[in-house]
Amino acid sequence: MTSFSTRAIHAGQEPDPTTGAVIPPLYQSTTYAQDGIGGLRNGYEYGRGTNPTRDSLQQQLAALEGGKHAFSFSSGLAAEDALIRGLLAPGDHIVLGNDAYGGTYRLINKVLGKWGITNTAVDMSDAAALAAAIAAGNTKMVWLETPSNPMMKISDIAAAAQAAHDAGALLVVDNTFASPYLQQPLALGADVVVHSTTKYIGGHSDAVGGAVILNDDAAAEEVGFIQFAVGAVSAPMEAWLTTRGLKTLAVRMDRHSATAMTVAKWLREQPAVEQVLYPGLEEHPGHDLAKAQMKDFGGMVSVSFKGGEAAARKVAESTRLFLLAESLGGVESLMNYPSEMTHASVKGTELAVPENLLRLSVGLEDGEDLIADLDQALGQL
Ligand SMILES: Cc1ncc(COP(=O)(O)O)c(C=O)c1O
């Protein structure tokens, strides 16, 4: 098998057979001419079912996560919804991290809860708590985010896979924060990987999307059926942009990781800072585990302030390069106040995020410029 960077550039990217165009064309067509009734050309019939641009992306995603099947959706949450509805039934139980992405919890708890899916949220980095939560219910799925959003907790993927499999459940890993370049959950024993491709995979903050990658043929058939029958597919333009972004994932992640480490180390020295949550720092409780199961530590850094909510809000509203915005994983640095932004939907629940916490998505700008920006913002406290 060729190396990651080579697969990123070539998997699913055959030159166009008609013209030799090096970049496979963007197929905006919703439908395909048939050679007589039922005479489909290469199986293409209608855009919700299949589209060559989406196929290219799906092949690229499967090749990069080391999976047999990949499905691309209109958003990360659409991917999660299709996965859960495809593989679970009313009465089934999901165990998920108590700091899972707020939208994932909202989907599982508030939307799928109405349709009979039950859930328990636990600290996934606590093996005993995970085992107890699995034992207590009719658990069919364990849902793991590592590093988690925004608390940057690291959980052991191989151990969680074992705990899930012992109970006959599947392990799903949300690999959005690490990306397949830094972490390969399927190789560590996970059954399914999900992504918000909106983030590092797309990488340029210009295409919302999601993905499910898995090996099992029967499970893939169920997910493929929901993708077709419900229809939350990625649009051709979004799939094309995501493919383009994905080709540079390796170089982007190396640079994101290096700059995030510099920013984390600088933040740690600032008197206003209470704690820096970055798995690359030796004092992070998940540092050794992250070192073992990740290639590098990624571009996400969370930071809490001694001055509480007021200090966090002031810094969030004072940076100039770090744009105050939802989302993450793009070339530009972003600043997020989770408690009122990405995680507002879990405010007041057991998944609530501390009010003195900011989450930084460290982009690809010059590290010194980013630190100067943070310095002037902290100077306003
Ligand atoms: C870790 C994680 N998973 C899933 C999602 C949902 O993805 P999307 O916003 O593309 O629906 C997000 C979005 O922020 C996320 O951060």
Side-chain angles (χ1 to χ4, degrees):
M1 195 192 278
T2 51
S3 68
F4 187 93
S5 307
T6 308
R7 273 177 280 144
I9 291 162
H10 292 287
Q13 303 300 304
E14 291 300 316
D16 175 43
T18 312
T19 62
V22 165
I23 301 302
L26 167 53
Y27 288 87
Q28 276 290 10
S29 188
T30 57
T31 192
Y32 307 88
Q34 304 188 13
D35 297 319
I37 295 169
L40 308 183
R41 298 184 195 173
N42 297 315
Y44 290 105
E45 186 175 21
Y46 179 60
R48 172 164 37 74
T50 40
N51 172 281
T53 309
R54 193 164 79 242
D55 286 350
S56 289
L57 172 60
Q58 292 180 157
Q59 285 172 35
Q60 198 186 16
L61 287 166
L64 295 184
E65 282 290 359
K68 200 165 160 192
H69 308 278
F71 300 92
S72 160
F73 291 88
S74 56
S75 72
L77 286 175
E80 296 180 11
D81 177 50
L83 173 68
I84 296 170
R85 282 201 281 161
L87 301 191
L88 301 193
D92 289 345
H93 179 237
I94 301 178
V95 173
L96 78 164
N98 62 5
D99 63 346
Y101 168 59
T104 298
Y105 183 68
R106 180 178 54 203
L107 169 69
I108 291 174
N109 198 44
K110 290 203 167 154
V111 180
L112 298 170
K114 274 198 206 163
W115 300 92
I117 302 286
T118 58
N119 75 81
T120 306
V122 292
D123 179 349
M124 295 296 257
S125 60
D126 177 344
L130 173 58
I134 292 176
N138 179 29
T139 306
K140 292 287 162 53
M141 197 174 262
V142 174
W143 193 282
L144 180 63
E145 263 181 52
T146 179
S148 69
N149 176 11
M151 299 308 289
M152 302 303 295
K153 278 192 195 156
I154 304 294
S155 302
D156 189 331
I157 295 174
Q162 188 66 53
H165 295 162
D166 286 349
L170 298 172
L171 177 69
V172 178
V173 173
D174 183 333
N175 206 22
T176 298
F177 264 39
S179 88
Y181 178 64
L182 298 183
Q183 182 167 272
Q184 296 266 289
L186 297 177
L188 292 167
D191 302 285
V192 186
V193 169
V194 296
H195 277 285
S196 168
T197 61
T198 316
K199 314 292 162 32
Y200 286 109
I201 284 187
H204 295 74
S205 306
D206 56 8
V208 173
V212 171
I213 302 109
L214 71 177
N215 280 317
D216 185 78
D217 294 338
E221 197 151 322
E222 298 293 344
V223 174
F225 175 73
I226 296 283
Q227 186 193 40
F228 170 69
V230 178
V233 292
S234 44
M237 182 61 158
E238 269 59 27
W240 190 85
L241 284 168
T242 306
T243 281
R244 184 168 75 155
L246 192 41
K247 289 179 185 175
T248 56
L249 183 69
V251 286
R252 285 189 286 110
M253 292 316 292
D254 281 340
R255 177 74 177 267
H256 281 300
S257 300
T259 311
M261 180 70 102
T262 309
V263 166
K265 284 184 172 163
W266 181 84
L267 280 169
R268 180 172 64 169
E269 303 306 322
Q270 306 312 307
V273 166
E274 180 185 68
Q275 201 182 6
V276 180
L277 306 176
Y278 184 65
L281 298 178
E282 276 160 22
E283 65 268 26
H284 188 286
H287 177 70
D288 290 340
L289 183 55
K291 221 170 156 179
Q293 72 182 14
M294 296 175 76
K295 187 179 166 68
D296 206 335
F297 305 103
M300 300 303 297
V301 179
S302 290
V303 54
S304 60
F305 291 89
K306 291 178 190 154
E309 176 179 352
R313 282 176 177 270
K314 183 71 187 164
V315 173
E317 291 174 354
S318 302
T319 52
R320 295 173 192 144
L321 276 180
F322 279 89
L323 302 174
L324 182 61
E326 304 258 349
S327 203
L328 60 110
V331 295
E332 61 288 303
S333 292
L334 299 180
M335 173 74 76
N336 170 48
Y337 182 57
S339 138
E340 290 290 345
M341 295 169 65
T342 49
H343 290 65
S345 66
V346 289
K347 217 175 161 126
T349 73
E350 58 193 311
L351 279 80
V353 174
E355 289 175 348
N356 67 340
L357 188 92
L358 292 181
R359 187 192 75 185
L360 278 57
S361 174
V362 178
L364 301 184
E365 302 92 338
D366 187 89
E368 283 186 15
D369 291 340
L370 293 177
I371 285 174
D373 187 32
L374 291 169
D375 196 27
Q376 67 78 24
L378 266 65
Q380 299 191 34
L381 289 177

